[in-house]
Amino acid sequence: AQSVTQLGSHVSVSEGALVLLRCNYSSSVPPYLFWYVQYPNQGLQLLLKYTSAATLVKGINGFEAEFKKSETSFHLTKPSAHMSDAAEYFCAVTSSGNTGKLIFGQGTTLQVKP
Amino acid sequence: DAGVTQSPTHLIKTRGQHVTLRCSPISGHKSVSWYQQVLGQGPQFIFQYYEKEERGRGNFPDRFSARQFPNYSSELNVNALLLGDSALYLCASSLGPGETYEQYFGPGTRLTVT
């Protein structure tokens, strides 16, 4: 069975500081991994996805994530936080033959302080 | 182009009642998935439909059902509502049912059961 664990339900950074949101996955088959962002009272927006190509994936709004098979991790980073980055972030996993069913982590709330 | 639309935006129901939620996918998308997001948690997969056929079902009771229409829109039905059914219900559409197809999420329907 596949699962996702997001370490830290709440992360607080200062504006301009590095953002690091942690995600570890469990999968017995090669995974497809995703990061989504959810702003208050809105649906989910895809930030980036890993589909077995390059291990360093670049997404929208300056975010990127690195797939590390040995660590079963897919952490999300951004060099410099902006106030507009404050939101809920979800890591998700799926796999081939899974009909695209996404399995989400519990989410991490990112707070950006001025 | 219009994104995924869902209706209603909010609704309040009483325990034991029935509810129908509606979703219109992005034009050209033939697959629709439904997710339940309880407050403070990540979305949980409920159903996926493709070409009017059920392609996947999550771990939800038989009180939950869905269908997809010839125009690819979809309905999610929940019978005998329980307080625990209170959640944000998200619809996602994609070109196809597989893991390589990006899922685009709607804004959700906020269901409150009293």
Side-chain angles (χ1 to χ4, degrees):
Chain A
Q2 294 180 310
S3 66
V4 170
T5 301
Q6 292 184 238
L7 302 176
S9 60
H10 194 103
V11 171
S12 182
V13 301
S14 297
E15 190 174 20
L18 171 72
V19 175
L20 171 60
L21 304 182
R22 301 178 185 273
C23 172
N24 287 88
Y25 70 92
S26 173
S27 179
S28 59
V29 296
Y32 291 72
L33 293 158
F34 306 80
W35 275 100
Y36 283 86
V37 61
Q38 186 177 34
Y39 297 100
N41 301 315
Q42 294 187 28
L44 304 174
Q45 180 183 11
L46 181 66
L47 282 176
L48 48 80
K49 61 182 178 182
Y50 166 77
T51 58
S52 75
T55 57
L56 181 62
V57 182
K58 294 187 182 298
I60 62 172
N61 301 338
F63 285 94
E64 63 181 37
E66 185 173 9
F67 173 70
K68 292 186 176 180
K69 183 178 179 180
S70 61
E71 299 178 7
T72 61
S73 68
F74 190 58
H75 301 332
L76 181 71
T77 60
K78 182 174 181 177
S80 177
H82 192 272
M83 296 297 292
S84 61
D85 295 327
E88 186 86 11
Y89 291 80
F90 293 95
C91 181
V93 65
T94 188
S95 62
S96 177
N98 216 8
T99 70
K101 164 189 171 182
L102 293 169
I103 298 168
F104 287 88
Q106 303 94 320
T108 298
T109 301
L110 176 65
Q111 180 187 26
V112 182
K113 298 176 292 185
Chain B
D1 286 344
V4 177
T5 59
Q6 294 185 242
S7 62
T9 306
H10 299 84
L11 76 164
I12 300 174
K13 291 286 189 178
T14 304
R15 275 180 301 174
Q17 286 188 317
H18 162 270
V19 69
T20 297
L21 311 180
R22 296 178 174 81
C23 171
S24 292
I26 292 171
S27 177
H29 286 195
K30 298 181 178 181
S31 181
V32 169
S33 298
W34 288 95
Y35 292 81
Q36 180 196 63
Q37 185 179 16
V38 174
L39 193 62
Q41 297 183 20
Q44 298 288 320
F45 173 78
I46 309 176
F47 288 109
Q48 185 186 62
Y49 276 77
Y50 175 66
E51 293 282 16
K52 296 175 289 181
E53 291 191 2
E54 182 182 303
R55 295 296 297 267
R57 172 185 285 256
N59 188 25
F60 280 81
D62 292 343
R63 299 184 296 106
F64 288 77
S65 64
R67 56 179 175 169
Q68 187 177 32
F69 299 99
N71 66 353
Y72 303 109
S73 66
S74 177
E75 284 183 354
L76 175 69
N77 295 284
V78 186
N79 292 323
L81 285 166
L82 303 174
L83 294 179
D85 295 332
S86 295
L88 180 67
Y89 288 85
L90 296 165
C91 173
S93 77
S94 57
L95 287 168
E99 65 284 349
T100 59
Y101 294 102
E102 182 175 330
Q103 295 188 38
Y104 294 81
F105 284 81
T109 293
R110 173 75 63 187
L111 171 64
T112 301
V113 182
T114 62

